[in-house]
Amino acid sequence: MSDSTLSEDSFLDDIAHRFLNECEQGETPDFEAYLREYPEHTEQLHEIFSGFAILAGTCEKKNESSVGIANSGMIIDGKYKLIEAIGAGGMGQVWLSQQIVGLKRQVAIKLIKAGMDSERVLARFESERQSLALMNHPNIATVFDAGMTEHGRPYFAMEYVKGVPITEYCDRNRLRITERLRLFAVVCEAVLHSHQKGIIHRDLKPSNILICLFDGVPVPKVIDFGLAKAMDPSQTEISIHTGHREFVGTLLYTSPEQAEFNNVVIDIRSDVYSLGVVLYELLVGTTPLEKLRLKEIAETEALRQIREVDPQRPSVRYSGSGESEGIAQQRLIAPNELKSTLQRELDWIVMCALDKDRSRRYQSASEFKEDIERFLRGEPLVARPPSNLYRLSKFVKRKRGAVASALAVIVGIVALVAWMSVDLYHRRVLEKRINISHVEYLRAADAISFSRRLNELKATEHSSFVSRLNSYQLAKPSTTEIERRRDIV
């Protein structure tokens, strides 16, 4: 089978898996969203969706026929009376209810949505119930009871949390930066408790962190453990495997490792990242990946950005915001003062929690909370800005192609300069040798010339001497002549 056929089969498998998963969760598959994500497969998508139309219609009819099973006034398990629906997620509905047996109190009843009673959804529902049952913390919603309805649908009764998302509460009440940080530190304590119980939330976001008022005091409550994961599956007796290429969480708040379609094990540092996103929003009024931007891009591109694109520091994002004055007013601070407050230490804290490399993040919700408390007390932080070497390594990792090209050019230039330097060196050595040889040649020539002149001089002097000697001998009287002269005298 060819690679192109395999690729096509893989594409069809992905589409079918997503389509059926959406249908299973009671959602209507969005054809336009698929077109935006896979523009190169427009024709295949038209064919696929026309073929799936009957299936989609079946799913919708199934849901429509099931609507009404849970309704206001209905009695659940003889103990709880449903009052009104107050929330819904991918697999469940939450109802404000009145407990009519035993304690007369308001509770929140969570039911599986009509038509959603597949084996997988039932397993997730039971996992959430068991996860919540492990908790015993004032800032986490408490589970009171669990059972089955008369129609065989599982439910559990939990503490009714009458509150608003933490970001909404802080903005509505114009809480200062320090007040927001103190509230957030309490949230970290609650998340730390769940981690100590071996539970990773995996969907921390403002709508799952509600602020309730008790005697006028704001109290955070962490809710909705529907996507929670046990670090030790034996703790909850339910083991749920996340499907291949199945994304779990909320894009705006998810961690880079949750956005990976590989075998990366999700641990508590994933929740630390999500908490970092929540703090980012509490400080500057927006998430690192902006909501408007998220609507403009396909899910695969959003996941890529979460994995690869480093977010701007809170102070930089605030400075570039067109709503800086409004954001500052909601925090009862002047715009310039808010910028200076965010710079350095708060930037360091947030960016430490949002590091793509989880080994460089806070290693627990406790470390995160402790650094926030150090900031509030004016003490030195554990978080520090990344070193220049680390920034360089991150830049190289992000721009491998450009860096490789630049390095190739630099290596070429260095090689050329080295070659020219060596060539120049050899030229200078050769010139030096030539100069030395020339000097030696001149010295030798001078020596030869001197020797010749000396010889010539010697020859001349010798010739002169011989001539004078001959003249002398010619002028000198002979012995006979001397004797003759002596006789005459």
Side-chain angles (χ1 to χ4, degrees):
M1 186 178 290
S2 67
D3 292 341
S4 60
T5 304
L6 287 171
S7 178
E8 190 72 16
D9 289 345
S10 176
F11 167 71
L12 292 173
D13 287 343
D14 288 345
I15 294 296
H17 173 78
R18 286 182 55 186
F19 186 97
L20 294 173
N21 190 47
E22 291 172 0
C23 189
E24 185 184 47
Q25 294 182 2
E27 301 174 0
T28 302
D30 186 349
F31 177 61
E32 296 298 328
Y34 280 85
L35 285 179
R36 287 195 300 272
E37 186 168 352
Y38 303 101
E40 69 278 13
H41 294 291
T42 302
E43 292 183 8
Q44 294 97 318
L45 287 172
H46 278 285
E47 294 175 4
I48 291 169
F49 268 76
S50 62
F52 282 162
I54 297 175
L55 176 59
T58 303
C59 291
E60 290 169 3
K61 288 177 182 178
K62 181 179 179 182
N63 289 333
E64 290 170 4
S65 63
S66 302
V67 172
I69 291 180
N71 51 66
S72 181
M74 183 178 186
I75 304 299
I76 299 294
D77 203 14
K79 304 175 186 177
Y80 307 100
K81 181 180 180 180
L82 302 184
I83 299 174
E84 64 173 319
I86 56 176
M91 63 181 180
Q93 292 178 313
V94 181
W95 286 78
L96 171 61
S97 308
Q98 181 68 38
Q99 184 173 340
I100 56 178
V101 174
L103 293 174
K104 303 299 188 292
R105 59 184 174 184
Q106 286 189 330
V107 297
I109 297 289
K110 188 163 188 176
L111 296 162
I112 284 186
K113 283 182 179 179
M116 291 291 294
D117 50 350
S118 67
E119 182 178 345
R120 185 176 182 79
V121 171
L122 288 173
R124 281 208 181 278
F125 192 85
E126 179 61 15
S127 177
E128 178 182 9
R129 184 191 69 77
Q130 292 188 18
S131 296
L132 282 169
L134 292 171
M135 311 294 179
N136 181 23
H137 194 276
N139 300 109
I140 296 178
T142 306
V143 170
F144 298 137
D145 191 12
M148 300 286 286
T149 69
E150 288 77 1
H151 300 281
R153 295 166 63 192
Y155 78 90
F156 59 84
M158 57 185 173
E159 176 186 2
Y160 171 51
V161 179
K162 187 177 181 179
V164 297
I166 185 170
T167 49
E168 181 182 335
Y169 175 84
C170 290
D171 289 346
R172 183 189 298 173
N173 292 277
R174 303 175 72 186
L175 265 60
R176 300 177 184 275
I177 293 295
T178 53
E179 294 170 324
R180 293 168 186 250
L181 291 173
R182 290 190 180 96
L183 269 183
F184 183 78
V186 177
V187 175
C188 290
E189 288 182 1
V191 174
L192 174 63
H193 176 78
S194 74
H195 292 168
Q196 290 170 336
K197 294 294 184 179
I199 302 298
I200 306 169
H201 191 286
R202 295 204 299 178
D203 197 24
L204 290 168
K205 54 186 177 181
S207 59
N208 285 340
I209 305 171
L210 303 183
I211 303 298
C212 313
L213 291 178
F214 291 92
D215 296 328
V217 178
V219 177
K221 288 278 187 178
V222 178
I223 65 170
D224 197 351
F225 283 73
L227 298 180
K229 175 184 177 182
M231 287 182 266
D232 179 3
S234 63
Q235 285 182 291
T236 60
E237 300 178 0
I238 299 291
S239 180
I240 299 174
H241 172 67
T242 301
H244 174 63
R245 296 188 66 82
E246 179 184 359
F247 169 70
V248 173
T250 303
L251 278 173
L252 288 172
Y253 302 90
T254 198
S255 67
E257 51 268 34
Q258 280 181 266
E260 290 277 6
F261 294 126
N262 56 25
N263 295 322
V264 173
V265 176
I266 304 300
D267 59 27
I268 60 175
R269 292 171 293 184
S270 179
D271 279 352
V272 169
Y273 186 95
S274 298
L275 286 171
V277 179
V278 173
L279 179 57
Y280 194 107
E281 190 171 6
L282 283 170
L283 294 176
V284 298
T286 184
T287 50
L289 178 61
E290 294 181 280
K291 296 176 183 177
L292 291 177
R293 173 64 177 157
L294 182 61
K295 294 178 181 179
E296 298 172 354
I297 58 178
E299 180 179 295
T300 52
E301 172 59 18
L303 293 172
R304 185 198 68 80
Q305 291 191 20
I306 291 168
R307 293 191 303 267
E308 301 176 8
V309 179
D310 289 324
Q312 291 181 316
R313 298 190 306 275
S315 61
V316 175
R317 173 61 64 83
Y318 169 73
S319 299
S321 171
E323 303 175 356
S324 56
E325 290 189 8
I327 294 170
Q329 287 176 0
Q330 289 177 327
R331 289 150 183 77
L332 295 179
I333 191 172
N336 290 338
E337 187 179 350
L338 177 56
K339 180 181 177 180
S340 61
T341 300
L342 294 172
Q343 285 175 332
R344 291 178 60 80
E345 292 187 324
L346 285 179
D347 275 346
W348 298 349
I349 290 174
V350 173
M351 298 309 289
C352 180
L354 295 182
D355 202 304
K356 303 294 183 188
D357 181 355
R358 58 183 178 177
S359 67
R360 294 179 58 86
R361 282 181 217 153
Y362 294 112
Q363 297 300 290
S364 67
S366 176
E367 286 188 10
F368 199 174
K369 166 182 168 289
E370 288 167 2
D371 234 10
I372 289 171
E373 291 177 340
R374 290 188 190 96
F375 173 81
L376 292 171
R377 293 193 299 265
E379 297 175 359
L381 305 180
V382 170
R384 286 288 186 273
S387 66
N388 291 332
L389 181 61
Y390 179 71
R391 287 177 179 173
L392 178 61
S393 68
K394 294 284 284 183
F395 176 80
V396 170
K397 188 175 181 180
R398 288 197 312 271
K399 308 288 186 181
R400 288 178 180 173
V403 170
S405 300
L407 283 176
V409 172
I410 291 171
V411 169
I413 293 173
V414 170
L416 179 62
V417 170
W419 178 82
M420 292 176 67
S421 299
V422 171
D423 183 64
L424 180 62
Y425 170 77
H426 285 303
R427 285 175 180 272
R428 287 180 175 174
V429 169
L430 183 59
E431 287 177 1
K432 187 175 181 180
R433 287 178 179 174
I434 291 172
N435 290 335
I436 291 173
S437 299
H438 182 65
V439 170
E440 290 177 349
Y441 169 78
L442 292 175
R443 286 177 178 174
D446 288 345
I448 293 170
S449 177
F450 176 77
S451 178
R452 284 177 179 174
R453 293 196 61 183
L454 181 62
N455 290 335
E456 290 174 356
L457 183 61
K458 285 181 179 179
T460 302
E461 289 180 351
H462 178 72
S463 176
S464 178
F465 173 76
V466 171
S467 177
R468 287 197 302 271
L469 180 62
N470 289 335
S471 299
Y472 172 75
Q473 286 179 347
L474 289 174
K476 178 181 177 184
S478 64
T479 306
T480 304
E481 179 66 24
I482 294 173
E483 289 177 355
R484 189 183 63 81
R485 288 179 181 179
R486 186 181 303 160
D487 291 338
I488 292 173
V489 172

